[in-house]
Amino acid sequence: MGDRNGCSTPGGGGSALSVMAGAVIGAAGLAWWLLSEAERRRQQPRQPRSLRLSTLRTPVPAEVGTGTSSEPHERDLHDRVHELNQAIDDVRRQLESMNTQA
């Protein structure tokens, strides 16, 4: 009669233990996630403040002539982007040639 209720089956206690272990692991995971989110939120206000402080410490170059000092920086950035695009194209061509050879 005990077999009908599932109480005396060998796997009955094991499934309850599995459920309990899953609940404990889930609770631990949830606690870890909540703590990491709280730590992230606690650190978040410090980040913009430290960025503001670093911009205050960094001297801003003065404007020279009619152009601003950011123009050379923009040209340098444009050159780097162009070089990266060329490198990406080279890699793409190499991959395409590997695919045609295979």
Side-chain angles (χ1 to χ4, degrees):
M1 294 249 172
D3 290 338
R4 291 182 187 171
N5 294 335
C7 293
S8 61
T9 57
S15 65
L17 184 62
S18 295
V19 168
M20 291 298 291
V24 169
I25 291 171
L30 179 62
W32 174 80
W33 179 77
L34 288 172
L35 287 173
S36 65
E37 284 295 310
E39 180 67 19
R40 184 183 61 85
R41 288 184 182 160
R42 190 174 65 84
Q43 294 290 332
Q44 217 169 16
R46 291 183 183 178
Q47 227 171 15
R49 181 175 178 226
S50 65
L51 289 175
R52 279 183 283 163
L53 290 176
S54 67
T55 58
L56 291 176
R57 290 184 205 141
T58 307
V60 177
E63 293 183 6
V64 179
T66 58
T68 62
S69 62
S70 66
E71 287 178 2
H73 176 69
E74 288 176 11
R75 278 188 235 126
D76 185 40
L77 181 61
H78 178 71
D79 292 342
R80 288 183 183 178
V81 169
H82 184 68
E83 289 174 8
L84 285 172
N85 284 336
Q86 285 179 339
I88 290 169
D89 286 338
D90 291 341
V91 170
R92 183 181 44 82
R93 282 188 214 108
Q94 289 175 0
L95 289 172
E96 287 174 351
S97 69
M98 289 173 59
N99 284 339
T100 58
Q101 292 175 356

